[in-house]
Amino acid sequence: GSEPAAHCYCGHQFGSFAGQLGDGAAMYLGEVLGPRGERWEIQLKGAGLTPFSRQADGRKVLRSSIREFLCSEAMFHLGIPTTRAGTCVTSDSKVIRDIFYDGNPKSERCTVVLRIASTFIRFGSFEIFKPPDEYTGRKGPSVNRNDIRIQMLDYVISTFYPEIQEAYSDNSIQRNAAFFKEITKRTARLVAEWQCVGFCHGVLNTDNMSIVGLTIDYGPFGFMDRYDPEHICNGSDNTGRYAYNKQPEICKWNLGKLAEALVPELPLEISELILEEEYDAEFEKHYLQKMRKKLGLIQLELEEDSKLVSELLETMHLTGGDFTNIFYLLSSFSVDSDPPELEDFLEKLTSQCASVEELKVAFKPQMDPRQLSMMLMLAQSNPQLFALFGTKANINKELERIEQFSKLQQLTAADLLSRNKRHWKEWLEKYRVRLQKEIESMSDADAWNTDRVKVMNSNNPKYILRNYIAQNAIEAAENGDFSEVRNVLNLLENPFQEAEGFREVKEDAEEEGATATAAACAQETGSRLPYCSKPPLWASELCVT
């Protein structure tokens, strides 16, 4: 009984206005009202042609559909606002896809994901009114249709921000300003949550930003393994526009584009002021609150905490620490550990740092030496021509890579271990001093420690959707075995070891005869790594575009 429809929107893609885009592979089926009055929009993604498919076929394949299905659910169970995935259904129909855009197409199975969210309206939905762009010349399909903009604003605010509609029903400018302030704060909190679990979206275009502050459109996303602030998860992002450390500023930039799209219903001088006053402050506040929980700083909020977090991340960067596993280990650090216990803890920490082999792969030069030499000459002799081929940042990064790679040739495993232990010992001493201040403010140190561990274990996941875990599940599914996708889903539904119901899930999975991987980080037979392990060396070769 549904009447399928596709949504029209525009977007700034990689910084440039792309004009009309729209749902090229997603179909809106309708909405369902839940028992508590909550609204769920139902979509099929990959079900075929829509009016916005352009030259494509509207299909999605098993590989990308499994990734979206698993990551939607992983994010939800991590407590991060997200669209949901209800089902993932595959078929024997095949389509041709050139996965890496390198002229090597292959046949893949068509697959449909049922997507669920309160709404899939995006920032780009409001860009359909954009007049011709001064750089690209492209324009939205609904230029000068302010009547539709008013209708959309009325719908979005009354439906998804009813408290704002109620408070400002007699003043549309104040109402629209309150709405913009709220979406600014929601977006700031969302990206703070991403940063705290090492999640990289990959394609933060304005058409991939939710108008209600959800994580939306899972494409070339990735959870960071080895901590690298400049980590790029999208193999197509040649300039690193959407790198991990750029996500907060890019989301702010996207909000600026939403502000432009709301004129004249919200004057730019009002929205720009809101953006400057609210975004950075909200991001910093939420990020630090979350990081305090991850470090078990549950009693005091001290100014020095921000520096402690920065120094932790710097230590992770220097040692190539695994972002997820280092945080997870910290709950077992004891303030009053004796030297042998400290040494044992340092062994555990350094086991989660990159080996010499892993660092060699990470810093392997990516340019042919002759190409690099030509680019350096071109940068000096003809900067305009050089700008067409590369950027100074990319060249500097390559030179840095060559220098690091050269140093690694002389580095032994013993030297690396010694250096890493020294770095971690220095930071742990600062951490111990900070935890001591917590204890001094408490009358019962044991009760404090119990609470600290509990808070840390509910904010530091043991399991995330690492690329290699997704890849193993995809390869099994492409060979007709879907049990690994189910195992991984069970695992991601319980990302925190101490999560309530953890034991029951494990027992259910074992009763059903599934592999006992749903909730245990035990070494399995054969060559399989535990799901909580830092990735194997081959995982660094995985490329998602």
Side-chain angles (χ1 to χ4, degrees):
S2 69
E3 293 182 19
H7 180 42
C8 176
Y9 51 81
C10 294
H12 279 79
Q13 300 193 318
F14 289 88
S16 297
F17 186 63
Q20 180 179 298
L21 301 166
D23 283 332
M27 291 182 193
Y28 167 90
L29 296 185
E31 292 169 10
V32 175
L33 286 177
R36 291 184 299 278
E38 69 272 37
R39 179 183 297 268
W40 299 109
E41 182 176 315
I42 309 297
Q43 272 194 2
L44 293 179
K45 184 172 180 178
L49 289 169
T50 79
F52 305 109
S53 295
R54 301 188 288 284
Q55 278 73 52
D57 54 22
R59 297 288 192 176
K60 291 294 173 185
V61 296
L62 190 57
R63 165 177 48 87
S64 59
S65 300
I66 284 174
R67 281 173 55 84
E68 169 145 9
F69 176 74
L70 289 175
C71 198
S72 302
E73 294 307 283
M75 294 292 268
F76 174 76
H77 291 284
L78 286 169
I80 298 173
T82 179
T83 58
R84 301 291 302 275
T87 60
C88 184
V89 180
T90 193
S91 75
D92 292 327
S93 301
K94 300 283 181 73
V95 286
I96 302 295
R97 290 290 184 267
D98 186 352
I99 303 172
F100 302 112
Y101 309 109
D102 60 0
N104 291 298
K106 75 170 202 173
S107 177
E108 297 190 72
R109 292 170 73 169
C110 293
T111 307
V112 177
V113 172
L114 180 74
R115 297 203 302 186
I116 306 165
S118 55
T119 181
F120 287 89
I121 294 176
R122 306 124 191 279
F123 290 9
S125 306
F126 287 89
E127 292 188 293
I128 62 172
F129 313 108
K130 183 172 170 56
D133 184 75
E134 62 176 310
Y135 300 108
T136 65
R138 299 188 184 104
K139 61 181 181 179
S142 302
V143 181
N144 299 325
R145 289 298 304 272
N146 198 46
D147 57 317
I148 304 178
R149 178 168 22 223
I150 292 169
Q151 198 177 346
M152 280 175 61
L153 270 169
D154 287 349
Y155 169 73
V156 166
I157 297 171
S158 63
T159 309
F160 307 109
Y161 299 86
E163 64 291 341
I164 290 174
Q165 179 68 34
E166 202 175 310
Y168 301 100
S169 57
D170 56 347
N171 188 319
S172 66
I173 297 288
Q174 284 185 354
R175 180 200 69 167
N176 296 344
F179 153 68
F180 186 73
K181 180 177 177 179
E182 180 59 23
I183 186 56
T184 293
K185 293 173 86 165
R186 284 191 193 185
T187 303
R189 291 194 295 269
L190 176 69
V191 73
E193 291 280 347
W194 292 348
Q195 301 304 97
C196 288
V197 293
F199 174 78
C200 301
H201 184 283
V203 201
L204 284 173
N205 300 329
T206 55
D207 52 293
N208 293 336
M209 299 287 296
S210 162
I211 206 71
V212 290
L214 304 175
T215 314
I216 189 172
D217 282 350
Y218 291 93
F221 67 84
F223 283 89
M224 186 165 51
D225 297 311
R226 177 179 59 85
Y227 178 72
D228 174 8
E230 296 179 350
H231 175 69
I232 300 165
C233 64
N234 177 0
S236 314
D237 185 3
N238 299 322
T239 62
R241 177 180 173 85
Y242 298 141
Y244 169 76
N245 62 351
K246 300 272 184 67
Q247 292 187 137
E249 65 185 85
I250 285 294
C251 287
K252 185 179 182 181
W253 189 89
N254 288 341
L255 281 159
K257 292 300 165 189
L258 174 62
E260 291 174 15
L262 298 180
V263 176
E265 294 311 300
L266 180 60
L268 207 52
E269 58 269 23
I270 296 176
S271 55
E272 284 180 341
L273 187 63
I274 290 169
L275 190 54
E276 284 311 311
E277 287 182 349
E278 300 293 340
Y279 183 84
D280 293 334
E282 189 70 16
F283 172 80
E284 293 296 341
K285 184 178 87 171
H286 195 79
Y287 178 78
L288 193 52
Q289 279 176 347
K290 186 75 177 178
M291 279 296 184
R292 282 192 178 110
K293 289 176 183 174
K294 288 174 79 70
L295 291 176
L297 309 178
I298 56 176
Q299 286 302 317
L300 307 171
E301 293 188 359
L302 304 180
E303 273 189 37
E304 68 202 47
D305 294 346
S306 182
K307 190 178 181 213
L308 185 71
V309 171
S310 298
E311 288 171 340
L312 167 62
L313 296 177
E314 179 59 24
T315 305
M316 262 193 220
H317 192 205
L318 285 169
T319 61
D322 186 272
F323 185 83
T324 301
N325 290 356
I326 294 284
F327 270 113
Y328 187 80
L329 271 174
L330 289 176
S331 66
S332 59
F333 176 67
S334 175
V335 180
D336 49 9
S337 53
D338 56 31
E341 286 172 331
L342 178 61
E343 186 59 31
D344 184 50
F345 188 72
L346 283 169
E347 287 287 343
K348 288 178 183 174
L349 275 183
T350 51
S351 73
Q352 297 305 322
C353 296
S355 66
V356 174
E357 289 72 25
E358 287 166 332
L359 290 172
K360 282 179 180 176
V361 171
F363 290 103
K364 185 180 177 183
Q366 294 176 358
M367 279 187 192
D368 182 286
R370 291 166 299 179
Q371 182 192 1
L372 179 60
S373 177
M374 186 195 76
M375 295 288 272
L376 286 167
M377 286 167 57
L378 203 56
Q380 293 291 322
S381 61
N382 194 335
Q384 286 81 15
L385 184 59
F386 169 75
L388 298 174
F389 294 100
T391 65
K392 284 187 178 175
N394 279 359
I395 294 296
N396 289 338
K397 197 164 186 179
E398 182 67 8
L399 291 171
E400 187 186 311
R401 212 178 269 122
I402 291 168
E403 185 185 351
Q404 291 279 5
F405 191 72
S406 175
K407 286 178 182 174
L408 286 168
Q409 304 312 306
Q410 279 79 49
L411 186 68
T412 67
D415 288 341
L416 180 65
L417 180 63
S418 171
R419 190 176 76 185
N420 287 349
K421 279 188 177 178
R422 187 177 73 251
H423 286 310
W424 279 111
K425 199 170 183 178
E426 286 171 8
W427 184 81
L428 285 173
E429 179 54 29
K430 294 170 186 172
Y431 185 41
R432 189 191 64 75
V433 169
R434 176 62 182 86
L435 290 177
Q436 198 66 48
K437 290 177 183 176
E438 294 270 304
I439 295 171
E440 287 163 8
S441 71
M442 297 292 293
S443 55
D444 187 341
D446 288 339
W448 164 80
N449 193 54
T450 302
D451 288 345
R452 174 183 80 95
V453 171
K454 190 175 179 183
V455 168
M456 291 179 78
N457 284 345
S458 59
N459 282 276
N460 293 316
K462 188 166 189 174
Y463 306 108
I464 53 167
L465 184 61
R466 297 179 188 266
N467 267 346
Y468 85 92
I469 292 174
Q471 188 62 27
N472 284 338
I474 288 164
E475 286 177 7
E478 286 178 334
N479 290 319
D481 177 6
F482 301 100
S483 64
E484 183 64 3
V485 177
R486 294 191 185 99
N487 286 339
V488 174
L489 177 62
N490 278 339
L491 186 85
L492 297 172
E493 285 173 343
N494 296 273
F496 307 103
Q497 189 185 29
E498 303 303 323
E500 202 175 330
F502 184 82
R503 184 70 52 195
E504 288 83 345
V505 168
K506 181 184 175 186
E507 286 165 2
D508 289 349
E510 288 174 337
E511 280 168 23
E512 289 166 15
T515 16
T517 50
C521 183
Q523 182 72 45
E524 289 186 17
T525 54
S527 60
R528 177 178 295 291
L529 285 166
Y531 285 97
C532 60
S533 170
K534 67 190 183 90
L537 205 54
W538 61 262
S540 61
E541 302 298 322
L542 289 174
C543 176
V544 187
T545 59

